[in-house]
Amino acid sequence: LFNLTLAGLPELELFPCTESRQTALWEISNEVSRPRARDFWLGVAILAGSAAAAFLAVRWLMAVVQWPALIERSLPVAAVIVAFAWVLRRLHRRGMQQALREKLLARGIPVCRSCGYLLHGLALEPGRCPECGRPFDEIVRSILEGE
Ligand SMILES: [Zn+2]
């Protein structure tokens, strides 16, 4: 499951070796088993909102078009399930990207917290990510100073 939803995350390629990547993933899996309450409820709210939106969209579609009775009954349920699964995967990937960036920074690899861009070898001035424009924070500055 872990590898399936994380397939293709660019942050995974930035670790210096397989072992440090495995260690980071292991650390993260321990941390996410006790998420902060605010993040948890935010995730629940986003999931519930998306499922409700999918349900309403399908209901609207049904008012516009005449469907066979079987589809009328099953489509709203299917829409809610698909929306729920899709949003859950998106949230999981986003959360993992944030966590992986923190792990990279902790290992002295300068990545942008906002977009994951590798900041190796960049000058401290003007001190912004060339990809998204986020100002370097303290940890990025200290890594780049030591390079
Ligand atoms: Zn950036």
Side-chain angles (χ1 to χ4, degrees):
L1 182 87
F2 224 55
N3 289 331
L4 191 72
T5 57
L6 300 183
L9 284 185
E11 283 79 2
L12 292 173
E13 306 303 319
L14 299 180
F15 285 93
C17 63
T18 317
E19 197 181 8
S20 79
R21 181 172 65 211
Q22 288 305 332
T23 312
L25 285 172
W26 182 80
E27 287 170 11
I28 292 168
S29 73
N30 284 345
E31 288 159 16
V32 292
S33 61
R34 43 181 165 77
R36 282 169 295 170
R38 195 180 65 97
D39 291 349
F40 175 78
W41 288 111
L42 184 65
V44 169
I46 292 170
L47 277 171
S50 321
F55 183 76
L56 291 175
V58 169
R59 286 292 293 269
W60 174 81
L61 203 67
M62 290 188 161
V64 176
V65 187
Q66 278 294 329
W67 301 90
L70 180 67
I71 294 180
E72 289 259 342
R73 278 199 302 275
S74 53
L75 209 56
V77 179
V80 166
I81 292 170
V82 169
F84 194 87
W86 186 77
V87 172
L88 188 64
R89 182 168 184 271
R90 290 288 303 247
L91 287 176
H92 182 220
R93 279 177 75 92
R94 270 196 80 84
M96 280 302 293
Q97 281 188 298
Q98 286 302 327
L100 283 169
R101 287 170 197 165
E102 296 300 328
K103 296 297 173 196
L104 286 164
L105 288 168
R107 283 163 174 74
I109 298 158
V111 291
C112 175
R113 272 201 174 91
S114 296
C115 71
Y117 187 83
L118 191 59
L119 304 167
H120 259 317
L122 289 177
L124 286 170
E125 296 305 327
R128 286 179 178 278
C129 170
E131 192 70 14
C132 71
R134 180 194 166 102
F136 295 166
D137 31 38
E138 278 310 306
I139 183 162
V140 170
R141 286 184 172 277
S142 67
I143 294 169
L144 291 177
E145 271 165 15
E147 275 189 338

